[in-house]
Amino acid sequence: MTDQIPHEATMPLDGPLVDTYGRVADDLRISVTDRCNFRCTYCMPAEGLAWLPKHEILTFEELTRVLGIFVRLGVRSLKVTGGEPLVRADLPVLIRLFREAGPDLDISLTTNGVLLDRLAGPLAEAGVDRATISCDSLLRHRFEEMTRRDALDKVLAGMRAAEAAGLTPIKINCVVIGGTNDDEVVDFARWSRETGYEVRFIEYMPLDAQHAWEREKVVPAARILAAIDAVHPLLPEGHANEPATTFRFADGAPGRIGVIASVTEPFCDTCNRLRLTAEGMFRNCLFAMGETDLRAPMRGGASDDDLALLIRQGLWSKWSGHRINHPDFVQPARSMSMIGG
Ligand code: SF4
């Protein structure tokens, strides 16, 4: 990481979005809803959360306007997230507006997949390029234990529908929790070889609404890779400017393995990510302790230039990276479902 530029240094008012560490931010995640139809144990309690009232959620017009401003500021890729984005009514209509606001944007979607069998086609038509689907177990009973939904078959059908709709390459996000599903990593690798999907193993992060995260349950990426490599030898592919480090199978089999080692091998040095919550808060980091309200000024008559300046200032205050491994670490009040990954 480059040395930090003093905060009081002159923040650039044009050109790409940068922070005081010289990182250029061009990858935006937009949460289009805080609601979800799953109850993953590492994310929220069984009863769910107090959902935001409708009037607090950004409208399609507001979301599209803000996206347009980010595109003007150099954003090149957009990941549509939630909660569960597919529970937002008329999502294909919103995607079409996003596509108009960013004709050259790389638009992907992160979803739990349970509604994908019905919506993959319309979303692809509307302008989504790729889908990342969460799946933490290939065992029906364990899937139900982890998500509190007996929905594995529907999710697998959703993956096939996404593939048929051309939302490829299909990427699978699997959160690995020690003592829960870490015994499945080799099975997931075998499945990746059979399906050709890229399975990314995500280290368990302190972003749950219950604040019940336990460091002992973090399975280091290195251990996951070693377990797979012992059975299906892997070759590194590198770490494009995205969270996952990917590997291919040495014997040339289809499929890919990725690891997102946020806890044991943080990648904040090359972070290019920006986040917008469903109610219009701009976050410069997944673990940020503060955020910039774009909704109030937007509804208060602010111009696009005003909002662009707020975004620049919000990024200029970005820290070097999360502090999970520091004694002073404080888990953000906002849980993953309220941020959108
Ligand atoms: S923790 Fe924050 S700084 Fe680090 S990679 Fe994630 S979003 Fe970027």
Side-chain angles (χ1 to χ4, degrees), residues 3 11 22 31 51 79 88 100 102 176 195 203 227 251 280 287:
D3 293 340
M11 178 186 77
S31 167
W51 308 130
K79 191 176 280 293
R88 177 99 190 222
E100 284 162 20
V176 181
T195 57
E203 289 183 346
D251 63 1
F287 291 91

Side-chain angles (χ1 to χ4, degrees), residues 94-144:
L94 178 58
I95 296 293
R96 211 171 282 285
L97 292 170
F98 283 173
R99 179 49 76 200
E100 284 162 20
D104 307 322
L105 268 180
D106 170 45
I107 301 182
S108 62
L109 185 69
T110 297
T111 170
N112 63 27
V114 77
L115 298 174
L116 209 45
D117 56 349
R118 184 165 57 79
L119 286 168
L123 289 167
E125 245 171 72
V128 173
D129 298 304
R130 287 176 296 107
T132 299
I133 301 143
S134 305
C135 184
D136 301 320
S137 177
L138 296 172
L139 304 170
R140 184 174 171 186
H141 73 278
R142 186 177 287 161
F143 185 97
E144 183 172 0

Side-chain angles (χ1 to χ4, degrees), residues 225-243:
L225 292 171
I228 295 170
D229 190 60
V231 181
H232 304 294
L234 299 170
L235 292 176
E237 269 204 332
H239 181 68
N241 203 354
E242 65 136 312

Side-chain angles (χ1 to χ4, degrees), residues 23 267-268 271 273 275 284-287 318-322:
R23 295 169 295 192
F267 37 82
C268 303
C271 182
R273 287 169 290 286
R275 291 177 171 83
N284 60 25
C285 168
L286 187 55
F287 291 91
K318 181 170 181 166
W319 56 11
S320 58
H322 70 62

